[in-house]
Structures are given as C-alpha cells and as structure tokens.
Amino acid sequence: MATDASRPDPPTRFGARRWLLLIMLCASQFMVALDFSIVSVALPAIGHDLGFTSTADLQWVMTAFILFIAGFLLLFGRASDLFGRRRLFLIGVALFTVFSLAGGLAETPWLLILARAGQGIGAAMVGPSAMSLLTTSFREGPERQKALSVNGAVLMLGFIVGVISGGIITGALSWRWTMLLLAIIGGVVFVAAIALLEESKDANAARLDVPGAVLATAGILALVYGISTGDSAGWGSAATIGTLAAGVVFLGLFLYAEAKHPAPLAPLDVLKRRSVKWGGLAGFITFGMCGGATVLETLYMQDVLGYSPMRTGLSLIPLGGSAVIGGLIGNKTIGALGVPRALVCGLLLQAVSTGLMVLLPQSGNFTLLVLTNIGLGFGHVTAVIAFNITVTSGLPDDKQGLAGGLAQTAQQLGSAVWLPVLAAVVTARTASLESTGDTVAATTSGLHAGLLTAALIALFGAAVATIFLRGRSTAAATAPVAAGVND
C-alpha cells in the first residue's frame, strides 16, 4: 500500500475510546454474521411452529435475508459516503433491531419472511457503513491492519457462535429467541454507536447516481434470486434462465451507464483497479468456499455420523477457535508475509484443508475432522483480512463506503451463489450412486464431491491472487487512485 517515506508508520496501540469504537463496529458485523448462521440452524423448528407447507417455502426465511442484503449493499455503500456513514449506520442498526423483534414475534410465515427481508435491508446498511467507518477511523497501514484483523476474527466468531448457539437456544427455549437475541444485540450496538460515532461523509457529495443504483440493484437481485431458487425451479427452467439472463443484462447496462454518468455510483476507475477486481474475486471465492464447506461438514456430521445439532455445533469449535486466533495474530501475519502473499497463503491453506476433508470416512475420524477445521479456519480468516485490506487500500476516504460496499457484496454474493452450486454437485453425485442401495455411502460420496469442488475453486482463487496480485508489490497493488486507475 502507498506510504509516505518521510512519515513514520502510525502507532498501533489504541486508547480506550478507540478500542470501544472498534468493539462496537465489530459487534455490528458479529450481529450480521450471527444472524445468518443462528437462523439457519433454527429452520426446522421454525417450519414446524409456523406451519410452512414445504421446504421450498421454508427456504425463503433465508433467501429473503440474503436477497435483500446482497442486492442493496453496493447502493448503501455509496450512499454512506454521500449522506453520512454514521447516519446510515444508525438507520441500518435500528431497522435490523426492529425487524429482528418483529421476526421473533411473527405468528405467520409471511410475516416472518417480511421481517427477514427488513433485516436484510438493515444489514445492507450496516455492513458497508461499518466497514467504511472502520477504515476511515483507523489510518491505512499497520493501524488499519490491526483493526481489520480483529474485525475478521469477530466476523468468523459470529458465524460459529450462531451455529453452536442456534441449536442450544432452539432446544432449550424457542427459535423465537434466536431473533430476540439479535434484537438485544442490535439495541446495545445502537446505544453505543450514538455515544461513540462522529459523522463522516464526503464533504463534496454529489447527487446519488439513481440510474446506476437501480440497474446495479436490479442486476444483483435478479442473479441472487435466480441462483437461490434454481434448485427448486429447475436449473434449466425458463424462469431460472430468464432471471439469470436478466441479471446479466442489468449489470451490463449498469457498467455502460457508469461510463457515461458524471458522478457514477461505482466509478469505473475504481472497479478497474487490480486490487478491487482481482481482490474482490478472491474474497468472493474464500467466503463462498468456507461457508459451503462448513455447511457440507454439518451435513456429514448429521446425515452420515448421526450427530445431533448440538454436538455438530460443538464439533465446529476448532474451526471458530482457529479463526479467532488467526484474526488476533492477523496483523503480525500480514506484516511478516505482506498483503498479497498472505491472501495467497490463506487461500492455499483453505484449499488444502478442504481437500483433505475428502478423506473423512463413513465411520468418522474425529482427529482428521479437527485438524482440517483448524486449517480451514486459520486459512480463511487470513484470506479475509488480506482481502479487506486489498480492496479498501489506496482509496480516498470519500470512496471508503463504496469500497466497503464492494467488499461486503463479494462476501454476501459468495455465500449466496456458491452454496447452491456445491449443493448441486452433492445432489448429482449422490443420485448417481443411490442405485447401489447404500444410502449413507452415496451421501458420503456426494459430500466428498462437493468438498473436492470447494477445494479446487479455492485453489483457483489462490492462483488468481498469485498471478494478478502477488507478482506486484503491496504498494503497487494498492496504489492511490490518482496514481493509476488500473493498478
């Protein structure tokens, strides 16, 4: 990243107020990550209690959230730069809290789905504004790397805590408490944000690029909807193909419109930067492959080994623990390896660990399960920290909301897009072996095929980072926009 040789690196020791600010911003990211996993674990109980008529209908509890958070991230990321990061953050936390409460009190399926959509819109405001508040509050260099390392650890912790606590809370209390817990956390974050945050925005804000916002949002919504519903509607159906094609057309028109607009939503000089486009692709891959591998692991433990949901969650503690440790020492890892090399090494470790899961036998091997989870967690969080530094570095403060939106979009699209793809691989392999009569063996082989696919895609991500990022110095890869838009 670009530095001024005449100015020493800023100190990385934070005072009490800055630690409180960092903890509050990380807590908002923890809240969103917790939402995704804690609700997914509670889905069976939700379906039974509210009377969802089919699995396809029940899946909308997750799809509604993913659809709206992914669709609006880019819009709200840029809006935070223009209208105020603190303002958008507070509105997002408030919406997320209110709709979490509404979800916990919902008595019908459609009310819960509407509440989940509202949570998604709130989370789409919180994610990029929190990231831009973090990157503008902590100076680029070691200070920001330390803050992003802590954020990466907390983000992964939120996902794992959700998997573990979802089963415990649903079993001991009710699925409703998974939503009410999110409302409680949201309320605490909102109060802390009022006390700690100062307004931050682009002093020379232009009007929002409405055509670009409409086209980008429509394109992402169409793609996520088509992929999320492809399995139930049929991947070759006219509805799925038409929706995906519409998404591609909308995004193509978005890029064309951005080239013509005097104040675009996402300036092409930012989108063309190597650090943004190739770093974004690496982030899209690492999030999708880690999330996908974790889901396939839970299926292996429950459908093959016969673990209960609670035991499954507890078995993922090594994954969460290694991710937290990796995040806490991430600043030192980045300092020792450099940002591009850390991204490559993180993806490689994630790929190798996921690939070794193919050796998990039908009878179980707890030692191998623990070791591969440790490698997956450490590799993933290292890649995440390096990805966030890559995408947000070298950009001025007035584009940090956009950078945060792009980073969050890569994260959410990775989670939304890759899981259905891996699930299709698992389903196809399992179906091809069901004629043997051994259902458990067919299921195991199907899961192995999905895990191998995830490993190969993560390996591809490492190759992309090696070719397009590692070959350049950190300074060149993240040079300021003014120094060269295509770097």
Side-chain angles (χ1 to χ4, degrees), residues 5-30:
S6 65
R7 184 179 61 195
D9 286 335
T12 57
R13 290 187 178 183
F14 302 153
R17 183 177 178 82
R18 302 194 81 199
W19 268 115
L20 288 174
L21 174 63
L22 178 58
I23 290 170
M24 184 274 297
L25 292 174
C26 289
S28 69
Q29 303 278 49
F30 175 89

Side-chain angles (χ1 to χ4, degrees), residues 31 88-100 122 126 186-187 190:
M31 175 179 71
L88 200 71
F89 181 83
L90 288 173
I91 293 173
V93 173
L95 284 176
F96 186 89
T97 302
V98 169
F99 280 111
S100 295
V126 171
F190 185 82

Side-chain angles (χ1 to χ4, degrees), residues 44-89:
I46 292 172
H48 180 268
D49 189 35
L50 293 186
F52 279 85
T53 57
S54 68
T55 302
D57 290 340
L58 179 61
Q59 192 58 39
W60 272 100
V61 175
M62 294 302 300
T63 301
F65 178 79
I66 295 171
L67 189 64
F68 282 90
I69 186 175
F72 287 93
L73 277 168
L74 188 60
L75 168 62
F76 290 137
R78 188 57 180 147
S80 71
D81 287 331
L82 302 179
F83 305 126
R85 301 178 182 100
R86 179 182 187 270
R87 179 183 303 170
L88 200 71
F89 181 83

